[in-house]
């Protein structure tokens, strides 16, 4: 399959965003227009006068990609070009769960024919690893640092797929860059469906999470295998398919140990209880989704 | 000499200002409209919605967005995808668009918006002044101000033609005074479809979002490149000075109507006192001037149609033989005690050999009525300035001392 994201971009070695964008484009195919809010992906792929994008691409602001996407879709319709061309919005977790929420909600409620892919690296990486609404419980970031009286981020991740399903999106799916085929297939499915569809892609960031640049895929797989990041598909608001873990469920400790952002949990007094709380999050996922 | 207007009275209809604008937008054949309601702009987009519902705007999509922020954001996508785009807003809505305004201009997208000018909060006020648009003056949009309904209607087609010119490619806002023009019924000749088709070519951009020929819009520019983008934007603004005048003349050739290019002058030829202003207040001033001329007061009015780009040369030439210039501003730059038109006018004259007193009045904030008496009083004070020089350079008018 041809890569529509050219090599030579300026992402970190082992960058999750680059993988996510590449897989998403493989799913959507050549005949698509990409809208990309501010964030690592935008900055690393388009330093003027270079561009890594082999498809038409537009960046506007941090918080309005879905609205820009709405406009692209409307223009294609008005100009009679919507037949085949797919509209693919790709934004980070900050752009999606936080600052861009209003414009995404508007675009989905209006039913624009576009696919929104959230590349969730669980923090604002482009500005130096600050917490977002997708930062997991107890992760240390520069604005939710672990300290003498803090275990880091004290809130669980916002359940964005559920919010998007509640908008009446015909198709919502979670995926992970640790499972390229899964991601490509789900994006392909989403872009084929008429109406607003949503893909939430888990994307471990070597720089922000603190693991070796060769381990991006391994860490991504582990998030799924612990049950912390379940992979499922929803059609018209109902979970229709789940990727089962079978007997291979790993303890969350194995996942947390791989990353600097959780290292305080293994050193601080009371860390074990905090790890147990994270295990409880995974256990609940295993139960709810029947992993 | 300004051309003689050929207003065909037989074609006149009495409609609301907002309707005249909506109709003008319709005959300009937009492909994407997106807007969010806010008083006093709302009637424009309601009328456009009705045109859509009646199937009167072919090849057009109307997006009912969830905010002004998305209204303009959607047009970023539409315009980049090759559509002729439209929105309308005012006041808080325009301020909410602030970040996107820069973005549209920086990407050189020829988007067009009507602003039904209104004061900004707090305190909340729905009535007219120019603070909303003036606050956006540095965003890179062309800003044109209309005196009456006929002008704002015709300015709609003119603005598209200016913005879409390949040498310009800058977005435009056409400004009409909220309520005073937007909600008033006046006799107008609505833009004719056949003449508009002749005047305004279809929008055919050179660069669009097209999978067959992929390009990237809105890349990020490091210090090696950013300055040149800004420089080119300013170059385009400077080119727009001539374009605005050319388009006003081309409009006259097709429709027989003319309102001035960058500025318009009324009885300024031999005037000692020249009053400068923007928008509907110009009409009131003209009436006062006619009256005072009967009493041999040599006074004229200079209407500023284009606030961005700012017509430095045109203003200089127009005022050079006057003895005093009075600038009326429906806005204030807080902390300077001056309105923007006043500040810009003074700075335009500073390095020239035109050495005349310029005095400023801030007037009509938040919809306060501008009375004929007030204008007369201002002209009296200007007569004093001619004799004794400037005592107060810039001041608020009609402040109710008893409320302070
Ligand atoms: C209005 C606004 N506020 C803040 C910023 C600064 N900013 C740029 S990128 C970014 C974070 C991006 O985070 P995310 O969407 O998660 O993408 P990532 O870089 O992690 O891939 C922030 C806060 C901005 N560009 N615009
Ligand atoms: S910080 Fe993370 S997301 Fe950003 S370029 Fe580096 S690896 Fe990629």
């Amino acid at each position: 399959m041809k890569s529509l994201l050219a090599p030579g971009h300026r992402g970190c070695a082992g960058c999750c965003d680059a993988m996510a964008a590449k897989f998403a484009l493989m799913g959507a195919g050549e005949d698509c227009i990409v809208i990309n809010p501010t964030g690592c992906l935008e900055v690393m792929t388009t330093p003027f006068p270079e561009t890594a994008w082999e498809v038409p691409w537009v960046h506007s602001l941090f918080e309005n990609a879905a609205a820009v996407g709405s406009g692209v879709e409307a223009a294609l319709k008005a100009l009679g070009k919507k037949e085949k061309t797919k509209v693919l919005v790709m934004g980070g977790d900050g752009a999606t769960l936080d600052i861009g929420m209003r414009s995404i909600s508007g675009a989905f409620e209006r039913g624009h024919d576009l696919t929104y892919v959230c590349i969730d690296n669980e923090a604002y990486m482009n500005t130096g690893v600050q917490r977002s609404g997708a930062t997991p419980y107890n992760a240390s970031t520069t604005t939710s640092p672990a300290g003498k009286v803090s275990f880091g981020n004290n809130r669980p991740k916002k359940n964005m797929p559920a919010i998007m399903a509640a908008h009446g999106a015909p198709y919502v799916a979670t995926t992970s860059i640790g499972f390229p085929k899964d991601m490509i297939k789900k994006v392909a499915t989403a872009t084929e469906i008429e109406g607003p569809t949503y893909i939430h892609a888990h994307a471990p960031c070597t720089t922000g999470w603190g693991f070796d640049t060769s381990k991006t895929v391994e860490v991504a797989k582990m998030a799924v295998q612990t049950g912390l990041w379940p992979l499922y598909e929803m059609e018209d608001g109902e979970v229709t398919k789940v990727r089962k873990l079978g007997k291979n469920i790993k303890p969350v400790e194995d996942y947390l140990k791989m990353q600097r952002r959780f290292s305080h949990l293994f050193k601080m007094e009371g860390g074990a209880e905090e790890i147990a709380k994270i295990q409880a999050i995974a256990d609940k996922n295993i139960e709810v989704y029947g992993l | 000499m300004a051309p003689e207007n050929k207003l065909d009275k037989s074609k006149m209809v009495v409609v609301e200002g907002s309707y005249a604008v909506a109709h003008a937008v319709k005959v300009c054949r937009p492909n994407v409209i997106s807007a969010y309601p806010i008083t006093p702009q709302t009637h424009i987009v309601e009328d456009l919605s009705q045109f859509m519902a009646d199937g009167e705007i072919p090849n057009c999509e109307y997006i009912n967005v969830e905010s002004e922020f998305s209204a303009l954001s959607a047009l970023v996508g539409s315009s980049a995808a090759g559509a002729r785009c439209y929105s309308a807003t005012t006041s808080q809505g325009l301020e909410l668009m602030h970040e996107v305004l820069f973005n549209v201009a920086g990407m050189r997208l020829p988007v067009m918006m009507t602003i039904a000018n209104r004061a900004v909060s707090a305190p909340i006020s729905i009535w007219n002044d120019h603070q909303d648009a003036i606050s956006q003056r540095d965003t890179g949009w062309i800003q044109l101000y209309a005196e009456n309904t006929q002008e704002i209607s015709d300015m709609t087609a003119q603005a598209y033609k200016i913005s879409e010119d390949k040498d310009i490619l800058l977005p435009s806002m056409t400004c009409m005074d909220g309520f005073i023009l937007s909600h008033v019924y006046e006799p107008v000749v609505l833009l004719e479809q056949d003449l508009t088709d002749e005047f305004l070519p279809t929008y055919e951009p050179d660069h669009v979002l097209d999978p067959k020929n992929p390009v990237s819009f809105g890349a990020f520019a490091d210090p090696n490149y950013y300055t040149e983008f800004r420089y080119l934007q300013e170059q385009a603004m400077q080119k727009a000075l001539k374009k605005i005048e050319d388009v006003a003349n081309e409009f006259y050739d097709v429709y027989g109507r003319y309102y001035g290019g960058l500025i318009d002058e009324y009885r300024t030829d031999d005037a000692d006192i020249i009053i400068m202003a923007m928008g509907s207040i110009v009409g009131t001033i003209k009436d006062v001037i006619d009256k005072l001329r009967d009493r041999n007061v040599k006074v004229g009015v200079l209407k500023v149609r284009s606030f961005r780009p700012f017509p430095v040369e045109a203003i200089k030439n127009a005022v050079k033989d006057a003895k005093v210039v009075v600038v009326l501003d429906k806005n204030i730059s807080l902390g300077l005690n001056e309105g923007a038109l006043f500040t810009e006018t003074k700075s335009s004259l500073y390095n020239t050999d035109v050495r005349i007193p310029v005095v400023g009045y801030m007037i009509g904030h938040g919809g306060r009525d501008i009375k004929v008496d007030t204008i007369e009083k201002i002209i009296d004070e200007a007569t004093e300035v001619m004799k004794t020089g400037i005592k107060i350079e810039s001041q608020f008018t009609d402040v109710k001392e008893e409320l302070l």
Side-chain angles (χ1 to χ4, degrees):
Chain A
M1 218 180 265
K2 187 181 163 196
S3 171
L4 295 165
L5 190 76
H9 61 73
R10 301 188 186 181
C12 308
C15 173
C16 54
D17 277 28
M19 282 184 234
K22 189 170 136 174
F23 300 153
L25 288 176
M26 284 173 167
E30 258 169 294
D31 199 356
C32 79
I33 292 172
V34 170
I35 299 95
N36 182 196
T38 313
C40 274
L41 182 62
E42 167 249 345
V43 172
M44 78 201 205
T45 54
T46 64
F48 185 85
E50 294 158 11
T51 180
W53 298 87
E54 311 245 8
V55 292
W57 175 95
V58 58
H59 162 260
S60 175
L61 295 167
F62 187 23
E63 62 274 46
N64 67 358
V68 176
S70 306
V72 170
E73 185 248 16
L76 294 177
K77 264 196 198 155
L79 301 171
K81 299 181 185 169
K82 185 68 194 82
E83 274 300 281
K84 304 195 304 300
T85 302
K86 288 153 185 164
V87 179
L88 186 64
V89 189
M90 265 193 270
D93 48 294
T96 307
L97 281 75
D98 298 342
I99 201 167
M101 188 75 187
R102 175 177 68 201
S103 86
I104 297 170
S105 180
F108 273 64
E109 172 274 314
R110 291 189 300 270
H112 290 281
D113 185 16
L114 52 79
T115 297
Y116 192 107
V117 178
C118 171
I119 304 177
D120 182 3
N121 54 26
E122 302 193 326
Y124 302 135
M125 296 312 174
N126 188 50
T127 36
V129 200
Q130 295 86 21
R131 100 175 267 285
S132 80
T135 300
Y137 185 65
N138 276 341
S140 181
T141 73
T142 54
T143 52
S144 64
K148 285 189 189 111
V149 295
S150 170
F151 288 106
N153 182 46
N154 63 3
R155 299 287 306 151
K157 278 170 84 82
K158 191 194 273 189
N159 190 346
M160 190 67 182
I163 295 169
M164 299 321 292
H167 276 78
Y171 182 79
V172 171
T174 60
T175 184
S176 160
I177 57 142
F179 298 83
K181 275 192 199 150
D182 183 90
M183 180 160 179
I184 295 166
K185 204 178 95 222
K186 283 173 178 166
V187 175
T189 306
T191 52
E192 283 304 326
I193 292 171
E194 208 178 309
T197 50
Y198 180 79
I199 307 278
H200 198 119
H202 198 236
C205 161
T206 132
T207 311
W209 298 15
F211 56 78
D212 188 84
T213 53
S214 65
K215 298 273 190 279
T216 310
V217 170
E218 222 172 285
V219 174
K221 284 195 162 140
M222 190 62 105
V224 173
Q225 281 159 3
T226 53
L228 279 174
W229 189 250
L231 302 188
Y232 57 88
E233 289 171 278
M234 295 175 86
E235 285 163 50
D236 298 321
E238 301 290 328
V239 177
T240 47
K241 276 187 208 137
V242 175
R243 188 185 181 96
K244 302 272 183 193
L245 299 177
K247 291 195 198 78
N248 288 327
I249 300 176
K250 304 262 165 59
V252 296
E253 208 174 312
D254 290 0
Y255 172 66
L256 304 176
K257 259 190 202 148
M258 300 170 101
Q259 310 166 48
R260 195 178 54 233
R261 64 177 177 159
F262 292 114
S263 56
H264 57 285
L265 297 178
F266 298 93
K267 293 179 212 143
M268 286 169 70
E269 206 177 311
E273 288 88 81
E274 291 303 313
I275 293 171
K277 287 184 195 164
I278 300 172
Q279 185 62 57
I281 295 172
D283 291 345
K284 187 156 184 221
N285 282 340
I286 292 165
E287 189 195 318
V288 170
Y289 294 98
L291 302 172
Chain B
M1 271 302 282
E4 187 78 13
N5 268 347
K6 294 181 224 150
L7 258 181
D8 184 348
K9 292 231 163 85
S10 71
K11 286 189 184 164
M12 277 191 162
V13 287
V14 176
V15 295
E16 196 192 42
S18 296
Y19 181 89
V21 170
H23 178 89
V25 171
K26 177 175 85 170
V27 297
C28 287
R29 302 188 184 278
N31 304 117
V32 177
I33 300 169
S34 81
Y36 194 79
I38 177 169
T39 306
Q41 165 275 135
T42 318
H43 289 184
I44 300 175
V45 295
E46 286 175 349
D47 287 337
L48 284 166
S49 301
Q50 192 63 53
F51 292 148
M52 287 297 294
D54 293 335
E56 288 181 27
I57 316 185
N59 308 319
C60 182
E61 290 287 317
Y62 189 115
I63 316 178
N64 274 308
V65 281
E66 83 296 338
S67 68
E68 288 85 355
F69 190 79
S70 287
L72 191 55
S73 300
L75 300 190
V76 170
S78 302
S79 187
R84 178 174 285 160
C85 301
Y86 180 77
S87 190
T89 191
T90 175
S91 185
Q92 310 308 131
L94 183 58
E95 307 313 317
L96 183 57
M97 290 176 177
H98 179 68
E99 197 190 0
V100 195
L101 291 170
F102 277 103
N103 221 243
V104 173
M107 279 199 238
R108 307 293 296 273
L109 299 171
V111 170
M112 217 289 281
M113 282 205 291
T114 308
I115 310 300
N117 294 109
R118 162 183 153 183
V120 287
S121 164
I124 194 159
S125 161
I126 58 167
W127 293 276
N128 167 248
D129 67 31
H130 293 160
Q131 193 67 55
D132 54 356
I134 293 293
S135 301
Q136 305 301 341
R137 71 176 172 185
D138 298 331
T139 54
W141 283 59
I142 291 171
Q143 276 193 19
L144 306 174
Y145 287 77
E147 179 183 339
N148 53 40
T149 300
Q150 187 69 57
E151 184 172 6
I152 189 69
S153 156
D154 295 356
M155 205 178 245
T156 304
Q158 293 185 4
Y160 274 118
K161 191 155 182 169
I162 297 160
S163 284
E164 291 174 4
D165 186 280
K166 297 268 155 79
D167 284 336
I168 312 289
L169 291 180
L170 295 172
S172 290
M173 43 180 98
T174 56
C175 299
M176 70 195 298
D177 285 334
F179 290 115
I180 302 170
L181 298 186
S182 63
H183 284 55
V184 161
Y185 282 70
E186 270 184 7
V188 286
V189 178
L190 296 174
L191 279 188
E192 300 91 338
Q193 186 67 68
D194 53 342
L195 295 184
T196 306
D197 287 343
E198 187 186 328
F199 172 74
L200 182 67
T202 47
Y203 174 46
E204 273 161 22
D206 287 341
H207 305 286
V208 289
L209 295 168
D210 175 9
K212 286 189 210 79
N213 179 26
V215 289
S216 294
F217 273 75
F220 107 91
D222 70 17
N224 272 321
Y225 296 99
Y226 187 82
T227 303
E228 284 65 30
F229 280 93
R230 301 299 274 170
Y231 178 83
L232 290 170
Q233 260 179 291
E234 180 55 26
Q235 293 296 103
M237 273 283 179
Q238 293 306 321
K239 284 186 203 158
L241 287 168
K242 176 153 189 309
K243 191 75 205 170
I244 291 166
E245 297 209 308
D246 289 351
V247 167
N249 289 320
E250 287 161 29
F251 189 89
Y252 178 79
D253 291 343
V254 176
Y255 302 81
R257 301 195 287 269
Y258 184 81
Y259 315 88
L262 298 161
I263 61 169
D264 196 27
E265 296 175 71
Y266 182 72
R267 305 190 83 161
T268 53
D269 281 354
D270 61 340
D272 291 333
I273 302 168
I274 291 184
I275 307 192
M276 285 175 61
M278 306 195 292
S280 62
I281 187 181
V282 169
T284 313
I285 304 170
K286 282 179 181 169
D287 283 348
V288 178
I289 283 173
D290 286 343
K291 198 166 120 192
L292 292 179
R293 280 274 175 180
D294 293 344
R295 291 190 226 140
N296 285 327
V297 184
K298 289 203 280 157
V299 53
V301 60
L302 190 168
K303 165 169 93 174
V304 176
R305 291 185 84 228
S306 172
F307 181 68
R308 279 292 179 277
F310 196 70
V312 174
E313 283 301 314
I315 290 174
K316 199 177 73 189
N317 289 333
V319 303
K320 66 179 189 310
D321 298 323
K323 298 210 173 91
V324 58
V325 176
V326 180
V327 185
L328 306 189
D329 267 292
K330 284 190 180 180
N331 69 85
I332 177 174
S333 175
L334 293 170
L336 191 60
N337 196 37
E338 289 183 4
L341 185 59
F342 174 62
T343 309
E344 315 276 39
T345 303
K346 281 192 302 176
S347 88
S348 302
L349 298 178
Y350 185 80
N351 279 327
T352 70
D353 51 7
V354 181
R355 280 278 157 263
I356 41 175
V358 184
V359 288
Y361 289 85
M362 289 166 287
I363 197 164
H365 295 261
R368 173 134 326 153
D369 273 348
I370 297 168
K371 300 200 175 103
V372 166
D373 287 356
T374 307
I375 306 279
E376 282 182 11
K377 198 180 111 231
I378 287 170
I379 294 170
D380 283 348
E381 285 173 11
T383 315
E384 272 306 298
V385 172
M386 271 198 304
K387 289 190 209 139
T388 59
I390 292 179
K391 298 228 166 45
I392 304 171
E393 195 175 306
S394 172
Q395 58 186 301
F396 270 88
T397 47
D398 294 337
V399 175
K400 293 182 186 166
E401 294 292 337
E402 68 276 17
L403 292 182
L404 300 176

